Amino acid sequence: MRKIGIGVVALATSSLLLAGCASGSTPSESGDAAGGSGNALVIWTDENRAPAIEAAAEAFTAETGTQVELVQKNFEDIRNDFINQVPTGEGPDITVGAHDFLGAFVAAGVVDTIDLGETADKIEQVAVDAFTYDGQLYGFPYALESIALIQNTDLVGDEAPTSWDDMIARAQAAGAERPLVINTAGQTGDAYTMYGFQTSFGAPVFVQDESGSYTSEVGMGGAAGEAFATWLGAHGETGSGEISTTVDYDTNNELFAAGTAAYTIQGPWAIEALTANGVNVKVNPIPSAGGETAAPFVGVQGFYVSSQSKNALLAQEFLTTYLATDEAQKALYEADPRLPAWKTLAEEVSGDPVIAGFLASAANGVPQPSIPEMGSVWDLWNAAQVQIIKGADPVGTWNTMVADVQAAIG
């Protein structure tokens, strides 16, 4: 990891390693000053977001006199390192992280609640919900990611289909070789990508309470889940065939890019691959298959405050005052472009129709559950969907999966 010290004199540049510049200490790659102290606010970040955080930290230091030390880490290491180091006093005051770190953070007792006050109204509600656990807010969310319907406008125009059936009819009328391609991760299954269709039947993986927090109550059993499973089988390999286990991520993108398919379900990260051969696209919310709004999973990025921070009030002030500005949010977006959760910035960047389409889809979405029980769901859920797509009895297979999930989470 790279450690950057920020003082009132100057900001560290991307090529200069400074630690505790006010005290004149020497650069270090070992992380010896990675933990918070009463004299400095320590923030863990990854390389992409460091420049944007540096700008906010400079203003914070100038106005409060508090030094800020940015410790640059590989993003994939942050979750485990935070859990392991916070209890020892070696962790940071603040870390960047994904919302699905939250369940593990709360279980380990390493993260503090945060009061956004009026700032909460400036952030998309789905992002606030994502950082809410048992009715308590545990972070400052700032960016979203979600999947959406992407359509080949050369085949079907840019008008959003009103339902699954309308989408298939439009594709068939256009003479598309395939109405839709959707990633199933091949034989592995991809319940994540399929989730918008599942929720349109009113069958969420877990039930959310009034605060937006997920409970451990499995929500995809009963008649709604059975209806989704029946629909999935009807459109699988022994049904009408739109959904197939021969389509993995790369195959999905290649078929769409070749102009073979009229529609696909993908995220913004795939746009370059989908348009590589010149296909023109429009991004729209996922259409309903079951009559209710299709609500895909939404991932959220944000910042957490350590439960062991000696600078908890300063840490919260930095987040809710210095990062909670249009300028800071735009800097974060420009440093690492993700769908903004900051409402005014989201409106500003929605001039790009691709971004606007993904934001509209995310607005219909729900946070991917961050509760520990989610870890017991994926393999069973994915496998059941693959079996149904390949022709297994939909209702029996689905109900067995639900029972197995319930048993697994106790």
Side-chain angles (χ1 to χ4, degrees):
M1 61 186 173
R2 192 186 73 173
K3 182 172 59 186
I4 308 171
I6 299 176
V8 294
V9 178
L11 287 174
T13 65
S14 59
S15 61
L16 185 62
L17 303 179
L18 299 174
C21 57
S23 62
S25 57
T26 57
S28 170
E29 294 286 331
S30 64
D32 56 329
S37 73
N39 300 318
L41 195 65
V42 178
I43 303 174
W44 284 1
T45 181
D46 57 3
E47 181 179 9
N48 291 343
R49 285 170 275 203
I53 300 172
E54 286 173 1
E58 182 180 39
F60 179 78
T61 297
E63 294 182 21
T64 68
T66 301
Q67 300 296 309
V68 178
E69 296 173 5
L70 296 190
V71 180
Q72 186 173 298
K73 297 177 66 69
N74 293 323
F75 186 79
E76 58 269 22
D77 295 333
I78 286 177
R79 176 176 172 171
N80 288 339
D81 286 356
F82 193 77
I83 290 172
N84 292 331
Q85 294 185 32
V86 165
T88 69
E90 295 300 317
D93 297 291
I94 296 171
T95 186
V96 72
H99 89 271
D100 56 5
F101 295 1
L102 181 53
F105 282 179
V106 172
V110 296
V111 66
D112 200 2
T113 57
I114 187 169
D115 182 7
L116 291 179
E118 295 180 357
T119 298
D121 294 334
K122 300 179 181 180
I123 300 170
E124 297 288 351
Q125 187 61 47
V126 68
V128 176
D129 289 347
F131 275 80
T132 300
Y133 192 98
D134 284 342
Q136 298 291 317
L137 184 66
Y138 283 93
F140 176 81
Y142 85 93
L144 310 170
E145 61 180 23
S146 188
I147 57 177
L149 180 72
I150 302 171
Q151 54 198 69
N152 181 330
T153 59
D154 298 323
L155 290 174
V156 292
D158 59 8
E159 184 177 352
T162 59
S163 67
W164 166 277
D165 290 340
D166 181 47
M167 176 181 68
I168 300 302
R170 288 170 182 264
Q172 291 172 340
E177 184 176 334
R178 288 176 178 250
L180 170 87
V181 283
I182 184 168
N183 175 33
T184 66
Q187 300 292 319
T188 301
D190 187 4
Y192 175 92
T193 299
M194 209 69 65
Y195 194 60
F197 295 124
Q198 181 176 320
T199 53
S200 77
F201 285 86
V205 58
F206 287 108
V207 174
Q208 290 175 275
D209 64 21
E210 293 181 355
S211 73
S213 301
Y214 279 100
T215 71
S216 59
E217 179 184 352
V218 178
M220 55 185 173
E226 291 176 358
F228 167 69
T230 300
W231 172 87
L232 185 62
H235 294 279
E237 293 169 3
T238 59
S240 54
E242 294 93 354
I243 303 171
S244 171
T245 59
T246 63
V247 180
D248 60 16
Y249 180 86
D250 290 334
T251 302
N252 180 98
N253 296 349
E254 289 164 3
L255 287 170
F256 187 88
T260 300
Y263 300 93
T264 189
I265 308 291
Q266 264 291 13
W269 50 83
I271 288 293
E272 183 176 355
L274 295 173
T275 59
N277 297 334
V279 168
N280 295 305
V281 301
K282 177 76 185 323
V283 179
N284 285 308
I286 297 170
S288 174
E292 298 186 23
T293 299
F297 279 139
V298 177
V300 183
Q301 295 276 318
F303 297 88
Y304 294 98
V305 175
S306 166
S307 61
Q308 301 301 312
S309 172
K310 297 176 182 178
N311 305 299
L313 293 178
L314 285 170
Q316 297 218 20
E317 181 183 2
F318 177 76
L319 295 179
T320 60
T321 301
Y322 292 85
L323 279 187
T325 67
D326 291 344
E327 294 77 15
Q329 292 296 306
K330 189 168 186 178
L332 283 166
Y333 174 77
E334 291 174 345
D336 183 35
R338 300 171 186 262
L339 301 175
W342 193 256
K343 291 179 180 178
T344 54
L345 180 59
E347 183 177 356
E348 178 182 339
V349 301
S350 289
D352 182 325
V354 170
I355 295 174
F358 282 112
L359 284 168
S361 183
N364 288 342
V366 291
Q368 182 176 314
S370 61
I371 57 176
E373 289 85 352
M374 193 65 196
S376 300
V377 175
W378 288 111
D379 289 346
L380 295 167
W381 193 18
N382 285 333
Q385 291 198 9
V386 164
Q387 292 166 27
I388 292 168
I389 293 166
K390 291 177 69 67
D393 170 54
V395 171
T397 302
W398 191 260
N399 286 337
T400 297
M401 178 272 294
V402 170
D404 289 344
V405 167
Q406 291 170 329
I409 66 176

